[in-house]
Amino acid sequence: MIQKADRLNDVKEYYFSKKLREVAALRTAGKPVINIAIGSPDLHPSSTVIEAIQQAVTLPNAHQYQSYQGIPELREGMAQFYNEKYNVTLNPATEILPLMGSKEGIMLISLAFLNKGDKVLIPNPGYPTYASVTNLVEADTIFYNLNAEDNWLPNFEEIEKNDLSKVKIMWVNYPHMPTGAVASKEDFKQLIAFAKKHAILIVNDNPYSFILNDHPLSILAVEGAKEVSIELNSLSKTFNMAGWRVGMVVGDAEIIKTILEVKSNMDSGMFLGIQKGAVEAFKLSNDWFHKQNEIYQERRAMVWKIFDALNCTYDKTIGGLFVWAKIPAGENSEALTDKLLYEKDVFITPGTIFGTNGEGYIRASLCVDVATLNVVLNRITA
């Protein structure tokens, strides 16, 4: 038999990829499982975005290969968005690279900067793909602890107890997934100072800025940030375009140029219609965000009731697309979520999939309508 590559020895199939097959099998067997685990927006993009992609398919060049850097109109829209929403000035020609989803960016950045044996700082808890991609490119992981006592922010004194001489990248993610914690400008200043001290590239993964968050912030708004940091962003959550796969990486021109060296060998450009739709998304007014958040506020109130019924505790001051909750003392995260799945036909995420510091927590998504969440509440309290 053909043997799989050694690089896969330390990489497991993504939790949701495997677990959703299990959920599908239960549904096939007649179980009415409700999924409140996944952060895939069920709301639709704006009608202007839909119209733009519909109109684009008839354009003379719609079905040709597109630029690796995206159409100028898209990069200009991204630059304007960053200027208006984050007060960050970006050169659309050199400091912005559109991506096929920000998840692609995690791989491209890692391929662009990491050699075998380089080290990477990864949050625990944090998005599992950071560690998976680090393993795929044969770099080494150093997990840094996040906890509720520190508001899920890095403890630099603790991090500096590690040998950081070979660290090239530090992944941060604020607003944070899975906890919803936010970083202030002062927190980002400390990150930038840490990065300069140790010659580390900070990558802030920032797709949740506008969901139940009154103060959207980019790490690039900090003076000197471009010297040592870049940022990933996405239209998936902000504009309900998850399946469109539109994201971006922004920052220093030389860093972006290096990432493009990888990307230009990985794909042949994004479909024009998707780019045209994204352009329209960036033109939406603040009313768009207000209306989305009104829906999410109502849903979050229902999730709080669900967690109350499970005797969980949670922080009502934290926003984001999920609710992160501490389960009762003595309970186990995976055992609790499996019990809910098999006894109540409800799929909730165990905190452990985000790292060892996720033990004792569960996470629910707001990508489910109120009526469905009410069914979940009734099942749990029955």
PDB file of all heavy atoms in Angstrom, residues 140-171:
ATOM      1  N   ASP A 140       7.515  23.230  15.020  1.00  0.00           N
ATOM      2  CA  ASP A 140       7.216  22.729  16.361  1.00  0.00           C
ATOM      3  C   ASP A 140       6.293  23.696  17.104  1.00  0.00           C
ATOM      4  O   ASP A 140       6.456  24.921  17.017  1.00  0.00           O
ATOM      5  CB  ASP A 140       8.510  22.545  17.166  1.00  0.00           C
ATOM      6  CG  ASP A 140       9.431  21.509  16.543  1.00  0.00           C
ATOM      7  OD1 ASP A 140       8.916  20.524  15.966  1.00  0.00           O
ATOM      8  OD2 ASP A 140      10.666  21.692  16.616  1.00  0.00           O
ATOM      9  N   THR A 141       5.362  23.144  17.848  1.00  0.00           N
ATOM     10  CA  THR A 141       4.389  23.962  18.570  1.00  0.00           C
ATOM     11  C   THR A 141       4.846  24.233  19.998  1.00  0.00           C
ATOM     12  O   THR A 141       5.406  23.373  20.662  1.00  0.00           O
ATOM     13  CB  THR A 141       3.021  23.256  18.625  1.00  0.00           C
ATOM     14  OG1 THR A 141       3.183  21.975  19.253  1.00  0.00           O
ATOM     15  CG2 THR A 141       2.444  23.052  17.243  1.00  0.00           C
ATOM     16  N   ILE A 142       4.603  25.469  20.435  1.00  0.00           N
ATOM     17  CA  ILE A 142       4.717  25.829  21.849  1.00  0.00           C
ATOM     18  C   ILE A 142       3.363  26.424  22.236  1.00  0.00           C
ATOM     19  O   ILE A 142       2.992  27.513  21.771  1.00  0.00           O
ATOM     20  CB  ILE A 142       5.821  26.866  22.115  1.00  0.00           C
ATOM     21  CG1 ILE A 142       7.190  26.324  21.714  1.00  0.00           C
ATOM     22  CG2 ILE A 142       5.820  27.272  23.586  1.00  0.00           C
ATOM     23  CD1 ILE A 142       8.324  27.329  21.896  1.00  0.00           C
ATOM     24  N   PHE A 143       2.594  25.711  23.024  1.00  0.00           N
ATOM     25  CA  PHE A 143       1.287  26.206  23.425  1.00  0.00           C
ATOM     26  C   PHE A 143       1.446  27.178  24.598  1.00  0.00           C
ATOM     27  O   PHE A 143       2.167  26.891  25.556  1.00  0.00           O
ATOM     28  CB  PHE A 143       0.377  25.045  23.833  1.00  0.00           C
ATOM     29  CG  PHE A 143      -0.072  24.207  22.669  1.00  0.00           C
ATOM     30  CD1 PHE A 143       0.573  22.998  22.386  1.00  0.00           C
ATOM     31  CD2 PHE A 143      -1.110  24.618  21.855  1.00  0.00           C
ATOM     32  CE1 PHE A 143       0.168  22.222  21.303  1.00  0.00           C
ATOM     33  CE2 PHE A 143      -1.510  23.853  20.779  1.00  0.00           C
ATOM     34  CZ  PHE A 143      -0.872  22.652  20.499  1.00  0.00           C
ATOM     35  N   TYR A 144       0.797  28.327  24.482  1.00  0.00           N
ATOM     36  CA  TYR A 144       0.792  29.257  25.612  1.00  0.00           C
ATOM     37  C   TYR A 144      -0.610  29.301  26.211  1.00  0.00           C
ATOM     38  O   TYR A 144      -1.607  29.247  25.510  1.00  0.00           O
ATOM     39  CB  TYR A 144       1.285  30.648  25.207  1.00  0.00           C
ATOM     40  CG  TYR A 144       0.460  31.405  24.192  1.00  0.00           C
ATOM     41  CD1 TYR A 144      -0.553  32.279  24.590  1.00  0.00           C
ATOM     42  CD2 TYR A 144       0.721  31.286  22.823  1.00  0.00           C
ATOM     43  CE1 TYR A 144      -1.292  33.005  23.663  1.00  0.00           C
ATOM     44  CE2 TYR A 144      -0.017  31.999  21.888  1.00  0.00           C
ATOM     45  CZ  TYR A 144      -1.019  32.862  22.314  1.00  0.00           C
ATOM     46  OH  TYR A 144      -1.753  33.573  21.392  1.00  0.00           O
ATOM     47  N   ASN A 145      -0.648  29.357  27.535  1.00  0.00           N
ATOM     48  CA  ASN A 145      -1.904  29.230  28.265  1.00  0.00           C
ATOM     49  C   ASN A 145      -2.726  30.513  28.239  1.00  0.00           C
ATOM     50  O   ASN A 145      -2.203  31.610  28.432  1.00  0.00           O
ATOM     51  CB  ASN A 145      -1.638  28.843  29.718  1.00  0.00           C
ATOM     52  CG  ASN A 145      -1.062  27.450  29.852  1.00  0.00           C
ATOM     53  OD1 ASN A 145      -1.553  26.509  29.229  1.00  0.00           O
ATOM     54  ND2 ASN A 145      -0.008  27.308  30.644  1.00  0.00           N
ATOM     55  N   LEU A 146      -4.016  30.342  28.022  1.00  0.00           N
ATOM     56  CA  LEU A 146      -5.003  31.396  28.223  1.00  0.00           C
ATOM     57  C   LEU A 146      -5.968  30.886  29.277  1.00  0.00           C
ATOM     58  O   LEU A 146      -6.321  29.704  29.287  1.00  0.00           O
ATOM     59  CB  LEU A 146      -5.758  31.706  26.933  1.00  0.00           C
ATOM     60  CG  LEU A 146      -4.931  32.111  25.707  1.00  0.00           C
ATOM     61  CD1 LEU A 146      -5.856  32.343  24.515  1.00  0.00           C
ATOM     62  CD2 LEU A 146      -4.104  33.363  25.985  1.00  0.00           C
ATOM     63  N   ASN A 147      -6.397  31.771  30.175  1.00  0.00           N
ATOM     64  CA  ASN A 147      -7.351  31.347  31.192  1.00  0.00           C
ATOM     65  C   ASN A 147      -8.250  32.501  31.602  1.00  0.00           C
ATOM     66  O   ASN A 147      -7.967  33.673  31.304  1.00  0.00           O
ATOM     67  CB  ASN A 147      -6.625  30.768  32.413  1.00  0.00           C
ATOM     68  CG  ASN A 147      -5.620  31.735  32.999  1.00  0.00           C
ATOM     69  OD1 ASN A 147      -5.992  32.778  33.509  1.00  0.00           O
ATOM     70  ND2 ASN A 147      -4.330  31.388  32.913  1.00  0.00           N
ATOM     71  N   ALA A 148      -9.330  32.166  32.250  1.00  0.00           N
ATOM     72  CA  ALA A 148     -10.333  33.156  32.633  1.00  0.00           C
ATOM     73  C   ALA A 148      -9.760  34.202  33.578  1.00  0.00           C
ATOM     74  O   ALA A 148     -10.140  35.385  33.522  1.00  0.00           O
ATOM     75  CB  ALA A 148     -11.536  32.456  33.268  1.00  0.00           C
ATOM     76  N   GLU A 149      -8.836  33.798  34.445  1.00  0.00           N
ATOM     77  CA  GLU A 149      -8.259  34.731  35.425  1.00  0.00           C
ATOM     78  C   GLU A 149      -7.523  35.880  34.745  1.00  0.00           C
ATOM     79  O   GLU A 149      -7.478  36.995  35.274  1.00  0.00           O
ATOM     80  CB  GLU A 149      -7.303  33.979  36.367  1.00  0.00           C
ATOM     81  CG  GLU A 149      -7.979  32.990  37.317  1.00  0.00           C
ATOM     82  CD  GLU A 149      -8.522  31.760  36.617  1.00  0.00           C
ATOM     83  OE1 GLU A 149      -7.966  31.360  35.565  1.00  0.00           O
ATOM     84  OE2 GLU A 149      -9.528  31.197  37.110  1.00  0.00           O
ATOM     85  N   ASP A 150      -6.943  35.621  33.581  1.00  0.00           N
ATOM     86  CA  ASP A 150      -6.239  36.657  32.810  1.00  0.00           C
ATOM     87  C   ASP A 150      -7.087  37.190  31.661  1.00  0.00           C
ATOM     88  O   ASP A 150      -6.558  37.773  30.704  1.00  0.00           O
ATOM     89  CB  ASP A 150      -4.924  36.100  32.251  1.00  0.00           C
ATOM     90  CG  ASP A 150      -3.907  35.812  33.338  1.00  0.00           C
ATOM     91  OD1 ASP A 150      -3.879  36.558  34.334  1.00  0.00           O
ATOM     92  OD2 ASP A 150      -3.142  34.832  33.195  1.00  0.00           O
ATOM     93  N   ASN A 151      -8.405  36.965  31.747  1.00  0.00           N
ATOM     94  CA  ASN A 151      -9.326  37.412  30.688  1.00  0.00           C
ATOM     95  C   ASN A 151      -8.963  36.823  29.327  1.00  0.00           C
ATOM     96  O   ASN A 151      -9.159  37.465  28.305  1.00  0.00           O
ATOM     97  CB  ASN A 151      -9.381  38.942  30.615  1.00  0.00           C
ATOM     98  CG  ASN A 151      -9.916  39.554  31.894  1.00  0.00           C
ATOM     99  OD1 ASN A 151     -10.907  39.077  32.444  1.00  0.00           O
ATOM    100  ND2 ASN A 151      -9.255  40.592  32.384  1.00  0.00           N
ATOM    101  N   TRP A 152      -8.398  35.606  29.350  1.00  0.00           N
ATOM    102  CA  TRP A 152      -8.043  34.878  28.130  1.00  0.00           C
ATOM    103  C   TRP A 152      -7.043  35.667  27.272  1.00  0.00           C
ATOM    104  O   TRP A 152      -7.084  35.622  26.050  1.00  0.00           O
ATOM    105  CB  TRP A 152      -9.290  34.518  27.322  1.00  0.00           C
ATOM    106  CG  TRP A 152     -10.314  33.792  28.141  1.00  0.00           C
ATOM    107  CD1 TRP A 152     -11.457  34.327  28.678  1.00  0.00           C
ATOM    108  CD2 TRP A 152     -10.312  32.410  28.534  1.00  0.00           C
ATOM    109  NE1 TRP A 152     -12.154  33.375  29.387  1.00  0.00           N
ATOM    110  CE2 TRP A 152     -11.474  32.175  29.322  1.00  0.00           C
ATOM    111  CE3 TRP A 152      -9.438  31.344  28.295  1.00  0.00           C
ATOM    112  CZ2 TRP A 152     -11.774  30.932  29.856  1.00  0.00           C
ATOM    113  CZ3 TRP A 152      -9.752  30.098  28.835  1.00  0.00           C
ATOM    114  CH2 TRP A 152     -10.897  29.903  29.607  1.00  0.00           C
ATOM    115  N   LEU A 153      -6.136  36.359  27.938  1.00  0.00           N
ATOM    116  CA  LEU A 153      -5.069  37.112  27.270  1.00  0.00           C
ATOM    117  C   LEU A 153      -3.719  36.476  27.595  1.00  0.00           C
ATOM    118  O   LEU A 153      -3.565  35.833  28.636  1.00  0.00           O
ATOM    119  CB  LEU A 153      -5.084  38.571  27.724  1.00  0.00           C
ATOM    120  CG  LEU A 153      -6.306  39.390  27.273  1.00  0.00           C
ATOM    121  CD1 LEU A 153      -6.431  40.660  28.105  1.00  0.00           C
ATOM    122  CD2 LEU A 153      -6.205  39.709  25.785  1.00  0.00           C
ATOM    123  N   PRO A 154      -2.711  36.666  26.742  1.00  0.00           N
ATOM    124  CA  PRO A 154      -1.404  36.032  26.980  1.00  0.00           C
ATOM    125  C   PRO A 154      -0.748  36.543  28.258  1.00  0.00           C
ATOM    126  O   PRO A 154      -0.811  37.738  28.578  1.00  0.00           O
ATOM    127  CB  PRO A 154      -0.585  36.451  25.745  1.00  0.00           C
ATOM    128  CG  PRO A 154      -1.582  36.826  24.714  1.00  0.00           C
ATOM    129  CD  PRO A 154      -2.755  37.385  25.454  1.00  0.00           C
ATOM    130  N   ASN A 155      -0.094  35.626  28.965  1.00  0.00           N
ATOM    131  CA  ASN A 155       0.712  35.961  30.128  1.00  0.00           C
ATOM    132  C   ASN A 155       2.170  35.933  29.660  1.00  0.00           C
ATOM    133  O   ASN A 155       2.771  34.859  29.535  1.00  0.00           O
ATOM    134  CB  ASN A 155       0.477  34.948  31.246  1.00  0.00           C
ATOM    135  CG  ASN A 155       1.259  35.257  32.514  1.00  0.00           C
ATOM    136  OD1 ASN A 155       2.381  35.740  32.456  1.00  0.00           O
ATOM    137  ND2 ASN A 155       0.656  34.978  33.657  1.00  0.00           N
ATOM    138  N   PHE A 156       2.734  37.113  29.384  1.00  0.00           N
ATOM    139  CA  PHE A 156       4.061  37.166  28.763  1.00  0.00           C
ATOM    140  C   PHE A 156       5.156  36.671  29.699  1.00  0.00           C
ATOM    141  O   PHE A 156       6.144  36.075  29.251  1.00  0.00           O
ATOM    142  CB  PHE A 156       4.351  38.581  28.277  1.00  0.00           C
ATOM    143  CG  PHE A 156       3.403  39.040  27.203  1.00  0.00           C
ATOM    144  CD1 PHE A 156       2.434  39.987  27.462  1.00  0.00           C
ATOM    145  CD2 PHE A 156       3.474  38.497  25.928  1.00  0.00           C
ATOM    146  CE1 PHE A 156       1.550  40.390  26.479  1.00  0.00           C
ATOM    147  CE2 PHE A 156       2.601  38.891  24.939  1.00  0.00           C
ATOM    148  CZ  PHE A 156       1.624  39.836  25.213  1.00  0.00           C
ATOM    149  N   GLU A 157       4.979  36.889  30.975  1.00  0.00           N
ATOM    150  CA  GLU A 157       5.972  36.397  31.938  1.00  0.00           C
ATOM    151  C   GLU A 157       6.052  34.877  31.882  1.00  0.00           C
ATOM    152  O   GLU A 157       7.150  34.298  31.897  1.00  0.00           O
ATOM    153  CB  GLU A 157       5.592  36.860  33.345  1.00  0.00           C
ATOM    154  CG  GLU A 157       6.607  36.480  34.415  1.00  0.00           C
ATOM    155  CD  GLU A 157       6.247  37.007  35.791  1.00  0.00           C
ATOM    156  OE1 GLU A 157       5.387  37.908  35.877  1.00  0.00           O
ATOM    157  OE2 GLU A 157       6.819  36.509  36.784  1.00  0.00           O
ATOM    158  N   GLU A 158       4.911  34.237  31.777  1.00  0.00           N
ATOM    159  CA  GLU A 158       4.885  32.779  31.674  1.00  0.00           C
ATOM    160  C   GLU A 158       5.444  32.318  30.337  1.00  0.00           C
ATOM    161  O   GLU A 158       6.225  31.355  30.268  1.00  0.00           O
ATOM    162  CB  GLU A 158       3.453  32.272  31.846  1.00  0.00           C
ATOM    163  CG  GLU A 158       3.318  30.765  31.796  1.00  0.00           C
ATOM    164  CD  GLU A 158       1.887  30.296  31.977  1.00  0.00           C
ATOM    165  OE1 GLU A 158       1.375  30.412  33.099  1.00  0.00           O
ATOM    166  OE2 GLU A 158       1.285  29.830  30.986  1.00  0.00           O
ATOM    167  N   ILE A 159       5.068  32.996  29.257  1.00  0.00           N
ATOM    168  CA  ILE A 159       5.552  32.614  27.920  1.00  0.00           C
ATOM    169  C   ILE A 159       7.072  32.706  27.850  1.00  0.00           C
ATOM    170  O   ILE A 159       7.743  31.850  27.249  1.00  0.00           O
ATOM    171  CB  ILE A 159       4.905  33.506  26.836  1.00  0.00           C
ATOM    172  CG1 ILE A 159       3.397  33.231  26.753  1.00  0.00           C
ATOM    173  CG2 ILE A 159       5.563  33.261  25.477  1.00  0.00           C
ATOM    174  CD1 ILE A 159       2.648  34.187  25.846  1.00  0.00           C
ATOM    175  N   GLU A 160       7.650  33.719  28.493  1.00  0.00           N
ATOM    176  CA  GLU A 160       9.091  33.932  28.393  1.00  0.00           C
ATOM    177  C   GLU A 160       9.908  32.930  29.213  1.00  0.00           C
ATOM    178  O   GLU A 160      11.136  32.947  29.167  1.00  0.00           O
ATOM    179  CB  GLU A 160       9.426  35.374  28.791  1.00  0.00           C
ATOM    180  CG  GLU A 160       8.988  36.370  27.728  1.00  0.00           C
ATOM    181  CD  GLU A 160       9.325  37.805  28.068  1.00  0.00           C
ATOM    182  OE1 GLU A 160       9.308  38.151  29.275  1.00  0.00           O
ATOM    183  OE2 GLU A 160       9.619  38.579  27.134  1.00  0.00           O
ATOM    184  N   LYS A 161       9.243  32.044  29.914  1.00  0.00           N
ATOM    185  CA  LYS A 161       9.950  30.948  30.576  1.00  0.00           C
ATOM    186  C   LYS A 161      10.383  29.888  29.565  1.00  0.00           C
ATOM    187  O   LYS A 161      11.207  29.014  29.870  1.00  0.00           O
ATOM    188  CB  LYS A 161       9.062  30.324  31.648  1.00  0.00           C
ATOM    189  CG  LYS A 161       8.798  31.245  32.837  1.00  0.00           C
ATOM    190  CD  LYS A 161       7.863  30.603  33.839  1.00  0.00           C
ATOM    191  CE  LYS A 161       7.581  31.534  35.013  1.00  0.00           C
ATOM    192  NZ  LYS A 161       6.615  30.945  35.972  1.00  0.00           N
ATOM    193  N   ASN A 162       9.788  29.946  28.346  1.00  0.00           N
ATOM    194  CA  ASN A 162      10.175  29.033  27.265  1.00  0.00           C
ATOM    195  C   ASN A 162      11.410  29.574  26.546  1.00  0.00           C
ATOM    196  O   ASN A 162      11.704  30.771  26.587  1.00  0.00           O
ATOM    197  CB  ASN A 162       9.034  28.911  26.247  1.00  0.00           C
ATOM    198  CG  ASN A 162       7.801  28.264  26.816  1.00  0.00           C
ATOM    199  OD1 ASN A 162       7.747  27.052  26.985  1.00  0.00           O
ATOM    200  ND2 ASN A 162       6.782  29.062  27.108  1.00  0.00           N
ATOM    201  N   ASP A 163      12.105  28.691  25.855  1.00  0.00           N
ATOM    202  CA  ASP A 163      13.173  29.104  24.946  1.00  0.00           C
ATOM    203  C   ASP A 163      12.511  29.633  23.677  1.00  0.00           C
ATOM    204  O   ASP A 163      11.913  28.868  22.912  1.00  0.00           O
ATOM    205  CB  ASP A 163      14.078  27.917  24.630  1.00  0.00           C
ATOM    206  CG  ASP A 163      15.183  28.271  23.637  1.00  0.00           C
ATOM    207  OD1 ASP A 163      15.303  29.458  23.259  1.00  0.00           O
ATOM    208  OD2 ASP A 163      15.915  27.350  23.225  1.00  0.00           O
ATOM    209  N   LEU A 164      12.589  30.929  23.457  1.00  0.00           N
ATOM    210  CA  LEU A 164      11.900  31.559  22.324  1.00  0.00           C
ATOM    211  C   LEU A 164      12.846  31.838  21.158  1.00  0.00           C
ATOM    212  O   LEU A 164      12.448  32.490  20.190  1.00  0.00           O
ATOM    213  CB  LEU A 164      11.242  32.876  22.779  1.00  0.00           C
ATOM    214  CG  LEU A 164      10.250  32.768  23.957  1.00  0.00           C
ATOM    215  CD1 LEU A 164       9.701  34.152  24.304  1.00  0.00           C
ATOM    216  CD2 LEU A 164       9.110  31.812  23.617  1.00  0.00           C
ATOM    217  N   SER A 165      14.066  31.339  21.229  1.00  0.00           N
ATOM    218  CA  SER A 165      15.070  31.688  20.224  1.00  0.00           C
ATOM    219  C   SER A 165      14.709  31.221  18.821  1.00  0.00           C
ATOM    220  O   SER A 165      15.135  31.842  17.830  1.00  0.00           O
ATOM    221  CB  SER A 165      16.433  31.116  20.621  1.00  0.00           C
ATOM    222  OG  SER A 165      16.386  29.698  20.720  1.00  0.00           O
ATOM    223  N   LYS A 166      13.928  30.148  18.712  1.00  0.00           N
ATOM    224  CA  LYS A 166      13.561  29.643  17.391  1.00  0.00           C
ATOM    225  C   LYS A 166      12.106  29.946  17.013  1.00  0.00           C
ATOM    226  O   LYS A 166      11.622  29.470  15.982  1.00  0.00           O
ATOM    227  CB  LYS A 166      13.801  28.131  17.330  1.00  0.00           C
ATOM    228  CG  LYS A 166      15.270  27.737  17.364  1.00  0.00           C
ATOM    229  CD  LYS A 166      15.448  26.238  17.132  1.00  0.00           C
ATOM    230  CE  LYS A 166      16.915  25.864  17.083  1.00  0.00           C
ATOM    231  NZ  LYS A 166      17.089  24.401  16.828  1.00  0.00           N
ATOM    232  N   VAL A 167      11.426  30.741  17.842  1.00  0.00           N
ATOM    233  CA  VAL A 167      10.030  31.076  17.540  1.00  0.00           C
ATOM    234  C   VAL A 167       9.980  32.108  16.423  1.00  0.00           C
ATOM    235  O   VAL A 167      10.629  33.157  16.501  1.00  0.00           O
ATOM    236  CB  VAL A 167       9.309  31.620  18.792  1.00  0.00           C
ATOM    237  CG1 VAL A 167       7.913  32.120  18.419  1.00  0.00           C
ATOM    238  CG2 VAL A 167       9.216  30.546  19.865  1.00  0.00           C
ATOM    239  N   LYS A 168       9.207  31.829  15.381  1.00  0.00           N
ATOM    240  CA  LYS A 168       9.077  32.758  14.259  1.00  0.00           C
ATOM    241  C   LYS A 168       7.680  33.375  14.166  1.00  0.00           C
ATOM    242  O   LYS A 168       7.527  34.493  13.682  1.00  0.00           O
ATOM    243  CB  LYS A 168       9.417  32.053  12.938  1.00  0.00           C
ATOM    244  CG  LYS A 168      10.887  31.690  12.822  1.00  0.00           C
ATOM    245  CD  LYS A 168      11.210  31.085  11.468  1.00  0.00           C
ATOM    246  CE  LYS A 168      11.280  32.135  10.374  1.00  0.00           C
ATOM    247  NZ  LYS A 168      11.737  31.542   9.093  1.00  0.00           N
ATOM    248  N   ILE A 169       6.659  32.629  14.616  1.00  0.00           N
ATOM    249  CA  ILE A 169       5.283  33.108  14.493  1.00  0.00           C
ATOM    250  C   ILE A 169       4.559  32.906  15.819  1.00  0.00           C
ATOM    251  O   ILE A 169       4.761  31.902  16.510  1.00  0.00           O
ATOM    252  CB  ILE A 169       4.526  32.353  13.370  1.00  0.00           C
ATOM    253  CG1 ILE A 169       5.044  32.772  11.992  1.00  0.00           C
ATOM    254  CG2 ILE A 169       3.016  32.589  13.458  1.00  0.00           C
ATOM    255  CD1 ILE A 169       4.411  32.009  10.840  1.00  0.00           C
ATOM    256  N   MET A 170       3.723  33.879  16.164  1.00  0.00           N
ATOM    257  CA  MET A 170       2.808  33.740  17.296  1.00  0.00           C
ATOM    258  C   MET A 170       1.398  33.988  16.788  1.00  0.00           C
ATOM    259  O   MET A 170       1.094  35.061  16.240  1.00  0.00           O
ATOM    260  CB  MET A 170       3.142  34.738  18.403  1.00  0.00           C
ATOM    261  CG  MET A 170       2.198  34.667  19.601  1.00  0.00           C
ATOM    262  SD  MET A 170       2.682  35.856  20.894  1.00  0.00           S
ATOM    263  CE  MET A 170       1.509  35.450  22.189  1.00  0.00           C
ATOM    264  N   TRP A 171       0.523  32.997  16.963  1.00  0.00           N
ATOM    265  CA  TRP A 171      -0.875  33.139  16.566  1.00  0.00           C
ATOM    266  C   TRP A 171      -1.676  33.746  17.712  1.00  0.00           C
ATOM    267  O   TRP A 171      -1.609  33.264  18.847  1.00  0.00           O
ATOM    268  CB  TRP A 171      -1.471  31.781  16.194  1.00  0.00           C
ATOM    269  CG  TRP A 171      -0.912  31.224  14.925  1.00  0.00           C
ATOM    270  CD1 TRP A 171       0.062  30.271  14.806  1.00  0.00           C
ATOM    271  CD2 TRP A 171      -1.270  31.599  13.590  1.00  0.00           C
ATOM    272  NE1 TRP A 171       0.333  30.035  13.480  1.00  0.00           N
ATOM    273  CE2 TRP A 171      -0.470  30.825  12.712  1.00  0.00           C
ATOM    274  CE3 TRP A 171      -2.175  32.496  13.062  1.00  0.00           C
ATOM    275  CZ2 TRP A 171      -0.549  30.950  11.332  1.00  0.00           C
ATOM    276  CZ3 TRP A 171      -2.268  32.612  11.684  1.00  0.00           C
ATOM    277  CH2 TRP A 171      -1.463  31.847  10.827  1.00  0.00           C
TER     278      TRP A 171
END
